[in-house]
Amino acid sequence: MGNNAIMNSNDAVYGGLAECFITINGRRYNFMSMTEFESKWEVNITDVPVLGKVGMGHKAAGGKGTWSGTAHYNQSYFREIADNYQKTGEMPYFEIQVSNEEPSSVIGRQTIVHRGCLCDNFTLAKFKAGEELLDEELSGTFESWDMPEKFNDMEGAVAN
């Protein structure tokens, strides 16, 4: 095993303590209906041919943000966006802010603010006989993001 540091189990983040807020047309909502969320930033990698080199080089050339999640089917925020879009052709951009914090850990809190968000599909209505709880899948894109808070380094994470 040597002298490798080992992660403290308390530093694993418990997902159920996350916070999620959405801001649509300047109005901020605590999106407590969200039960699952994930966002990704995909970097576009371009091949770069290099004279005198057998292998291909690579260069980062832009990126794309996507998000997806599951929410309880008990709010109309996104259906209102869809309704407005189908009637007027206007679809507002919105923000999604997600914070994770593990109180029993030394890692602190991380917050990501997704800017320029759009939905790429909308659940308008649904039911399922015999189903106890209804939920809905949400997904879309975002144009940029900020990280106003970041996790602290865990003890032993920084190698000298």
Side-chain angles (χ1 to χ4, degrees):
M1 291 299 231
N3 293 327
N4 272 347
I6 298 173
M7 185 184 98
N8 183 331
S9 298
N10 282 342
D11 291 335
V13 177
Y14 179 67
L17 297 178
E19 296 175 335
C20 183
F21 294 89
I22 57 174
T23 303
I24 303 170
N25 291 324
R27 188 159 187 194
R28 189 167 192 230
Y29 302 94
N30 184 346
F31 201 13
M32 62 187 119
S33 299
M34 195 70 111
T35 61
E36 188 174 341
F37 181 85
E38 183 174 53
S39 63
K40 295 183 178 187
W41 182 258
E42 180 183 337
V43 178
N44 297 328
I45 304 294
T46 301
D47 289 342
V48 179
V50 179
L51 186 63
K53 186 176 176 183
V54 175
M56 186 69 66
H58 303 93
K59 181 176 178 91
K64 177 183 178 181
T66 58
W67 63 271
S68 62
T70 304
H72 293 295
Y73 181 76
N74 63 1
Q75 50 71 36
S76 296
Y77 310 135
F78 295 114
R79 279 174 280 289
E80 288 174 334
I81 289 174
D83 185 48
N84 183 64
Y85 180 61
Q86 63 107 13
K87 289 177 179 171
T88 68
E90 295 178 26
M91 184 180 297
Y93 288 97
F94 57 93
E95 291 183 357
I96 302 173
Q97 176 182 317
V98 175
S99 297
N100 297 97
E101 185 171 20
E102 178 56 52
S104 64
S105 171
V106 299
I107 63 169
R109 179 179 173 96
Q110 176 179 278
T111 298
I112 303 290
V113 181
H114 307 81
R115 303 196 190 282
C117 297
L118 291 173
C119 286
D120 58 18
N121 65 73
F122 300 91
T123 300
L124 297 181
K126 71 183 297 180
F127 71 84
K128 185 172 183 180
E131 191 72 16
E132 290 185 29
L133 300 173
L134 291 178
D135 59 10
E136 61 182 308
E137 299 300 316
L138 303 165
S139 62
T141 59
F142 62 94
E143 294 187 1
S144 65
W145 54 278
D146 291 311
M147 188 168 51
E149 298 175 296
K150 66 176 189 147
F151 290 132
N152 300 319
D153 292 329
M154 293 179 285
E155 186 176 324
V158 179
N160 294 326

